[in-house]
Every structure is written in structure tokens, then in C-alpha cells.
Amino acid sequence: MRPATIAFVLLAAGPLRAEGGPLPLIDERLELMRDEAAWRYARNAPVEDLAREAISLQRAMVDAQAIGLDPGAARAFFTAKNAAEKEIQSCFMHRWSMGEEDPPEMVPDMSGELRPRLFELEFEILDAILAYDGPPITAEIFFEAVAVDCLSPDTAEALRSGLTDFFELEE
């Protein structure tokens, strides 16, 4: 099944955990970056993959537009999300390489386990953004809900700002 078809099937199924808004899903996605970092660390693979990022960003914009969200807001949010993910992965890989902590002994299967869940979360995040009708997502609310190790306050604020771009367009 093609990614666009998967997006349509998932989004047509109705709000996926939309009652919690996008924040728990964003937190879950960012928490998975430790697993992705472990996979990369075990293979000595770089954190940055600009070609994959470009494809992912384009797909997110198309998927956002397909469900009625602004593709420009999607670009801002997913660009910030990519930066946050790279920051988290780099932080963990640095800790492991410097001996500050031991790398995980169990490394997830990227193609069979981790990547499918990451794709699924992107669709769920878009769906939750579309369905969200809660209070404005202030910095306090965001930082309480998205409290991921290795995520700097500045990067988290950029991610929150990218997220709120979706809602500012509606006003």
C-alpha cells in the first residue's frame, strides 16, 4: 500500500486519539528517537539524511493538504520536528560515544518495527491537529506534555511554534 493510500485509510477512519490532541502523539514520536538513535549508533549511521528528510517533508505537506490543513504550516511544523528529532538522536549518540551512559542492548528493527510506527504517528499527529479544538497550546502546556530527554528548550519552542501555525491560520 502506498503512503498516500495509507494516510487516506488512517485519516478516513476518524480521529485517532484526537481527544488528547496532538501533544501526546508528538511526545510519543520524539520518545522513539532514542530507539532510532540506538539503531543508527549500532550501525555507525549518521543522524542526518537530507534526502529522506526532503521526501518525508514533501509527504507530510501533501498529506496535510489532502485532509484540509495548510501545507505551509505543515512545512513549518515538520521542519521543526525534523530538527528536534536530529537533536535528540545526536544527544543520545553523543552520550553513548562519550561513555556517559550505556547504549541500549536491544536495538529495534528499523524497517519492520520502528519506521512503520513513525509513519503511523505522522498521520495520527496530522489527524489530531485537524480535530483539535482545545485551548491554545501555550509554552507551559507544550513543555508539560512534551518532556523528552535531550530536547532543548529552544528546539521545543520552535516545534511548538510550528504546531501553533496550524491554529493561527484558522483565526
Side-chain angles (χ1 to χ4, degrees):
M1 194 176 289
R2 293 183 1 199
T5 305
I6 294 169
F8 177 76
V9 169
L10 285 172
L11 296 173
L16 300 169
R17 290 196 281 168
E19 68 279 354
L23 298 183
L25 299 166
I26 293 168
D27 183 71
E28 181 180 348
R29 169 108 186 169
L30 294 179
E31 290 288 350
L32 288 172
M33 290 304 102
R34 185 176 194 279
D35 289 341
E36 185 167 342
W39 184 88
R40 292 180 184 285
Y41 187 80
R43 287 158 183 76
N44 200 28
V47 168
E48 190 165 69
D49 183 344
L50 296 177
R52 182 174 286 283
E53 283 181 49
I55 292 167
S56 175
L57 183 59
Q58 184 62 35
R59 187 188 65 241
M61 292 170 57
V62 167
D63 290 343
Q65 188 169 24
I67 63 168
L69 291 172
D70 180 72
R75 173 182 284 284
F77 172 72
F78 282 96
T79 298
K81 178 199 66 72
N82 288 344
E85 291 176 350
K86 288 189 288 189
E87 178 178 84
I88 295 165
Q89 289 180 55
S90 295
C91 172
F92 280 113
M93 291 173 74
H94 175 78
R95 286 179 183 177
W96 300 328
S97 67
M98 299 305 290
E100 295 173 13
E101 64 181 70
D102 292 332
E105 291 182 24
M106 300 294 293
V107 176
D109 173 36
M110 179 62 86
S111 61
E113 178 185 340
L114 190 55
R115 189 162 287 132
R117 181 63 187 137
L118 293 172
F119 286 149
E120 185 178 276
L121 278 166
E122 284 197 16
F123 301 132
E124 290 181 22
I125 289 167
L126 285 172
D127 190 50
I129 290 168
L130 181 65
Y132 186 71
D133 65 352
I137 299 174
T138 64
E140 182 179 4
I141 290 170
F142 186 87
F143 291 134
E144 184 176 316
V146 181
V148 179
D149 193 16
C150 287
L151 181 62
S152 72
D154 288 344
T155 304
E157 177 53 31
L159 184 57
R160 185 193 74 82
S161 179
L163 175 62
T164 59
D165 283 353
F166 284 107
F167 308 115
E168 290 171 2
L169 292 170
E170 296 175 1
E171 297 172 359

